[in-house]
C-alpha cells in the first residue's frame, strides 16, 4: 500500500531512474539530484494514483490537479512523465473507464497476428494510442493458451491456471478491473506412493531436502566451478543432477568399502590378539606344570646341602614370579580383547547406509524432478544447466493464486472495442519497406483467402508455430504453416531454433461428488518408475465444484498425445482408486484430455531455456525486423529503416518467460516500441 507499494507493483525502483527513463528524459538525467527528485516524485505520485484506482483512466489533467505542490509547478514535465508512463504500459492499461475519447483519425494501420493474451494486450494499447488495429486469430475463440473448459457448473483451465505472485504482477491490476476471482493456493501437498499408501511426512521432508541440496550442488557445479561443458557439448540440468546422484552413490560405496576395511582390520587384530592370548595361556600351562613338578619334587631343607636348597628355592620362586607375570599379561590381554570385540561390534552395528537412495526414496525424488519438469514444460535433460533458471530473480512475491471463475475471463475482457477476426489463419506474412501484406485463410468459409495490408504487423505466433515456419516443415495442406516473405533474418531463425518449446498436458475429471480431502488443493502421486515420473504426478482441486485436474509432465506429456482418451482416463482412475479405494471413486461425468503439442495453433505449451540456448535468445526473439533494403530511389531513408515486423508473446520476454503475465507485458512493451517508431516520442 502507499506510494512505495504502487511503485513496487509497477516493477520500478522507488528512488532511482531506470536506464529507459534516463534515455527518455536526458534533460532530467543530466540535471542533478534535485531534478531527479522532482521527476521521481511526479512519477511515483502518478503510479500511486493509477494503482489506487485502475478502473478509471488517469488523465494528465486529473493527475496534475492531484499532485501536491511543488510537484505540480511544471505542467510540461508532468505531461511528459504522464505520456511516458502511458506509452510504456505503466498506467492506463487493461480495461478501464475512459474519460478522454480515443482519437478518431487513425494514425497508422496494424495487423496483430494471434489473439492470445500478448496479441490482445498489444491490440488494446495500440488502439488507445490511436492506431487502426485488426487482430487475426486462427481459432474460433480468443485467449490462445489461456483456455477454460466450462460445462454446467464445471470450470477447469486447460492451459494457464496459476497467477504466480501478486506483487508486481500486472494480473493484479487486471483483477481489480475485471471480475477475476483470485483464490490463494494451499501449498501443502500430501504424497501417495506407487502403492497408493501415504508417504510419511518425515520421509517426504527428508527427500525434499535432498532434492534441494541436489539443485544447490548443480548450481555450484555450474556457477562456481564453471562446469558447463563436457568436451564441446553444453551440459544439461538433467545430466548434472544424475552425475551428482552417481557421485553421491559412489561416495556411499567408497564409505562402505572403507568401513569394510576397518572391520577387516579390527577382525585381523582380534585374531592376532587371540593368537597371543593362546600362546600366553600355553606358556602359563607349561609354567604351572613346571611349578607343580618343582613343588612336588621339592627336597626339604635338611635333606640336601645349603647350596642345593637355595638353588631349588630360587628356581621355584622365579617360576612363580614368571607365572604371576604371565597371569597379569593374560588379564591385560583379555581386557584388551574385550575392548576389541566391543569396537568390532560397534563397527558392525553402525555401518554407513547401504545405498545413497533406496529404490523407494529414488521414486520420491523422481516425483520432485517431475514437478520441476512441469514448471519447465520439458525433461530435465533438455534444460541448459547454466541458464535454465535465468529468470529466477524476477519472480513476483506474494500468494500464488488460481482464477476460480476460469482464466479465460481475462482474454475475453480484453477483447473490448478491438476488431478481432476469428477463424482467420494467417498463411503468409509479406513485408517490405512500404508495409506488410498478410494473407489469411478463413477457416469457416473454406479456402477463402483475404489479404490485409497495413503499415506493420505484430507477430504473436507461438514459438512452436515459429519453429515449424523456419524449419519449413511442410505438413498437410491444412496444417498451420506460416510463410515469411522474405524469410526471417538468420539471427532470428537461429534463436527460434535454439530456444526450447516444451509440453505439458492436463486431464480434467468432473465428478458428482468430492472423495478427496476438500481442504487440500493439491495431492501428489509417486510414479512406479523413473521413466513414468511425470504421468499424473499431481492432482489439483481448485474449483468450487468436484473437479480434479491431473498434470502430465516431462516425458509422459508427449507420450499421452499418441494415446486415446479412454486409456488416459483409465490410467487416472486406477491411480485414484489405488489411493482412495475402488468403491470410493465414482465414474467421472465429464472428462477432457489436452494435447498441446498436437494443437496446430500452439505446437506445445511454453518456452524453456534449452541446452545450447540462453536468456539472450529471448531478446533476439523480441527484436523487431527491418525489411531488406528496397533500393527504390523515391523511397525515404527513414521509411527504409522502419521495422515492419514486431514480435510479442511469452517467448519474447527474457525476465518473465513462459507465463501469462510475461506474455501480457511483452504486448505492452511492443505497443510502446511501435508507438515510439510510428507516432514519435510523446
Ligand atoms: O499456470 O502464467 C500457468 N500460469 C502462467 N502460464 C502458464 C501456466 C504455467 C506456468 C506457471 C508459472 C510459471 C511458468 C508457467 C503452469 C501451467 O499451469 N500453465 C500453463 C499450462 C499449460 C497447459 C499451457 C499450455 C500454458 C501454461 N502457461 C503459459 C501461458 O499460458 C502462456 O505463456 C501464455 O498464455 C502465452 O500467451 P501468448 O499470447 O504468448 O501466446 P498464445 O498461444 O496464447 O497466443 C498465440 C495465438 O496465435 C493463439 O491464439 C493461436 O491460436 C494464434 N495462432 C497460431 N497460429 C496462427 C494463429 N493465429 C492466426 N494465424 C495463425 N497461423
Amino acid at each position: 500500500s502507499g506510494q512505495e507499494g504502487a511503485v513496487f507493483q509497477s516493477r520500478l525502483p522507488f528512488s532511482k531512474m531506470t536506464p529507459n527513463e534516463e534515455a527518455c528524459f536526458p534533460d532530467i538525467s543530466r540535471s542533478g539530484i534535485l531534478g531527479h527528485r522532482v521527476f521521481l516524485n511526479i512519477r511515483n505520485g502518478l503510479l500511486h494514483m493509477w494503482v489506487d484506482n485502475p478502473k478509471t483512466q488517469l488523465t494528465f489533467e486529473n493527475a496534475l490537479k492531484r499532485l501536491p505542490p511543488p510537484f505540480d509547478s511544471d505542467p510540461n514535465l508532468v505531461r511528459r512523465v504522464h505520456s511516458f508512463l502511458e506509452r510504456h504500459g505503466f498506467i492506463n492499461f487493461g480495461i478501464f473507464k475512459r474519460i478522454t475519447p480515443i482519437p478518431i483519425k487513425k494514425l497508422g494501420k496494424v495487423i496483430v497476428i494471434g489473439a492470445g493474451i500478448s496479441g490482445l494486450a498489444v491490440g488494446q494499447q495500440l488502439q488507445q494510442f490511436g492506431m487502426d488495429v485488426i487482430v487475426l486469430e486462427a481459432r474460433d475463440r480468443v485467449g490462445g493458451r489461456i483456455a477454460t473448459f466450462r460445462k454446467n457448473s464445471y470450470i477447469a483451465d486447460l492451459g494457464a491456471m496459476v497467477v504466480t505472485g501478486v506483487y508486481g504482477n500486472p494480473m493484479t491490476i487486471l483483477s481489480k478491473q475485471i471480475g477475476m476471482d483470485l483464490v490463494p493456493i494451499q501449498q501443502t501437498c500430501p504424497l501417495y506412493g506407487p502403492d497408493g499408501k501415504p508417504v510419511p511426512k518425515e520421509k517426504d521432508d527428508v527427500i525434499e531436502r535432498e532434492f534441494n541440496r541436489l539443485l544447490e550442488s548443480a548450481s555450484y557445479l555450474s556457477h562456481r566451478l564453471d562446469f558447463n561443458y563436457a568436451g564441446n557439448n553444453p551440459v544439461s540440468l538433467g545430466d548434472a543432477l544424475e552425475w551428482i546422484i552417481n557421485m553421491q552413490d559412489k561416495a556411499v560405496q567408497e564409505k562402505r568399502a572403507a568401513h569394510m576395511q576397518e572391520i577387516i582390520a579390527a577382525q585381523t587384530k582380534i585374531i592376532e590378539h587371540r593368537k597371543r592370548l593362546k600362546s600366553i595361556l600355553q606358556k602359563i600351562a607349561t609354567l604351572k606344570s613346571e611349578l607343580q613338578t618343582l613343588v612336588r619334587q621339592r627336597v626339604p631343607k635338611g635333606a640336601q646341602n645349603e647350596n642345593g636348597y637355595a638353588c631349588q628355592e630360587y628356581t621355584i620362586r622365579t617360576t612363580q614370579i614368571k607365572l604371576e607375570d604371565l597371569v597379569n599379561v593374560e588379564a591385560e590381554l583379555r581386557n584388551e580383547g574385550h575392548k576389541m570385540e566391543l569396537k568390532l561390534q560397534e563397527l558392525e552395528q553402525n555401518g554407513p547406509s547401504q545405498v545413497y537412495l533406496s529404490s523407494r526414496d529414488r521414486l520420491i525424488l523422481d516425483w520432485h524432478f517431475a514437478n520441476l519438469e512441469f514448471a519447465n514444460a520439458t525433461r530435465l535433460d533438455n534444460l541448459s544447466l547454466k541458464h535454465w533458471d535465468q529468470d529466477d530473480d524476477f519472480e513476483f512475491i506474494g500468494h500464488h493464486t488460481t482464477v476460480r471463475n476460469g482464466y479465460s475471463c481475462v482474454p475475453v475482457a480484453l477483447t473490448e472495442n478491438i476488431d478481432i477476426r476469428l477463424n482467420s489463419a494467417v498463411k503468409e506474412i509479406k513485408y517490405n519497406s512500404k508495409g506488410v501484406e498478410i494473407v489469411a485463410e478463413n477457416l469457416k468459409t473454406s479456402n477463402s483467402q483475404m489479404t490485409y495490408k497495413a503499415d506493420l504487423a505484430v507477430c504473436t505466433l507461438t514459438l512452436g508455430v515459429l519453429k515449424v515456419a523456419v524449419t519449413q516443415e511442410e505438413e498437410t495442406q491444412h496444417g498451420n504453416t506460416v510463410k515469411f516473405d522474405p524469410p526471417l533474418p538468420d539471427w532470428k531463425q537461429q534463436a527460434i531454433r535454439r530456444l526450447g518449446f516444451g509440453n505439458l498436458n492436463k486431464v480434467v475429471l468432473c465428478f458428482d461428488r468430492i472423495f478427496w480431502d476438500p481442504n487440500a488443493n493439491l495431492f501428489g502421486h509417486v510414479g512406479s518408475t523413473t521413466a513414468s515420473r511425470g504421468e499424473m504426478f499431481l492432482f489439483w482441486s481448485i474449483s468450487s465444484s468436484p473437479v480434479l485436474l491431473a498434470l502430465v509432465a516431462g516425458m509422459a506429456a508427449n507420450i499421452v498425445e499418441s494415446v486415446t482418451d479412454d486409456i488416459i482416463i483409465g490410467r487416472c482412475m486406477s491411480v485414484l482408486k489405488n489411493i482412495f479405494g475402488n468403491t470410493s471413486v465414482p465414474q467421472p461425468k465429464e472428462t477432457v484430455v489436452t494435447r498441446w503439442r498436437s494443437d496446430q495453433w500452439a505446437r506445445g505449451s511454453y518456452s524453456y531455456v534449452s541446452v545450447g540456448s540462453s536468456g539472450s535468445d529471448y531478446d533476439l526473439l523480441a527484436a523487431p525486423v527491418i525489411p531488406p533494403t528496397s533500393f527504390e530511389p523515391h523511397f525515404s531513408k527513414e521509411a527504409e529503416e522502419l521495422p515492419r515486423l514486431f514480435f510479442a508473446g511469452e517467448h519474447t520476454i527474457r525476465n518473465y518467460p513462459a507465463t501469462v503475465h510475461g506474455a501480457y507485458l511483452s504486448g505492452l512493451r511492443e505497443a510502446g516500441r511501435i508507438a515510439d517508431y510510428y507516432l514519435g516520442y510523446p
Side-chain angles (χ1 to χ4, degrees), residues 241-297:
L241 288 171
E242 291 302 333
W243 281 337
I244 298 166
I245 291 174
N246 285 343
M247 264 155 37
Q248 298 279 37
D249 223 22
K250 216 175 128 208
V252 168
Q253 296 312 326
E254 275 166 8
K255 252 197 201 160
R256 282 199 65 212
H259 181 75
M260 284 309 288
Q261 266 165 357
E262 256 189 278
I263 290 181
I264 292 168
Q267 282 170 341
T268 318
K269 249 173 117 179
I270 289 175
I271 292 168
E272 292 299 319
H273 183 270
R274 281 187 190 149
K275 274 188 198 156
R276 268 185 73 196
L277 186 63
K278 201 173 158 196
S279 97
I280 296 288
L281 287 174
Q282 268 167 5
K283 279 185 189 154
I284 290 176
T286 318
L287 268 185
K288 261 188 186 160
S289 87
E290 270 176 34
L291 188 62
Q292 274 165 4
T293 315
L294 285 173
V295 171
R296 216 182 315 115
Q297 291 170 354

Side-chain angles (χ1 to χ4, degrees), residues 165-195:
V166 285
Y167 302 112
N169 196 328
M171 293 299 125
T172 305
I173 300 293
L174 289 179
S175 75
K176 290 186 184 172
Q177 298 174 329
I178 57 177
M180 271 174 97
D181 184 6
L182 291 183
V183 185
I185 304 168
Q186 273 263 6
Q187 295 284 358
T188 45
C189 177
L191 284 191
Y192 295 90
D195 52 1

Side-chain angles (χ1 to χ4, degrees), residues 113-120 136-139 141-146 157-164 374-376 400 407 424-427 440 460-462 465 480-482 501 503-506 540 551 594 596 599-602 604-607 648-651 656-664 666:
I113 302 165
I117 192 85
S118 61
L120 295 169
L136 300 177
E137 168 56 52
R139 298 180 200 266
R141 60 168 182 84
V142 295
R145 280 170 278 167
I146 301 178
D157 272 310
L158 305 173
M161 65 178 170
V162 186
V163 179
T164 50
F374 150 59
N376 291 282
H400 284 212
Y407 218 145
S424 300
V426 169
K427 293 271 141 197
T460 74
L461 295 171
T462 72
V465 173
N480 181 18
T481 322
V482 182
F501 196 58
N503 198 15
L504 164 69
N505 278 309
K506 297 187 178 179
W540 289 70
L551 294 191
T594 71
W596 284 102
D599 179 332
Q600 62 173 329
W601 313 119
S605 60
Y606 40 93
S607 61
E650 60 82 15
H651 54 286
Y656 309 100
T659 59
V660 171
H661 57 260
Y664 185 76
S666 77

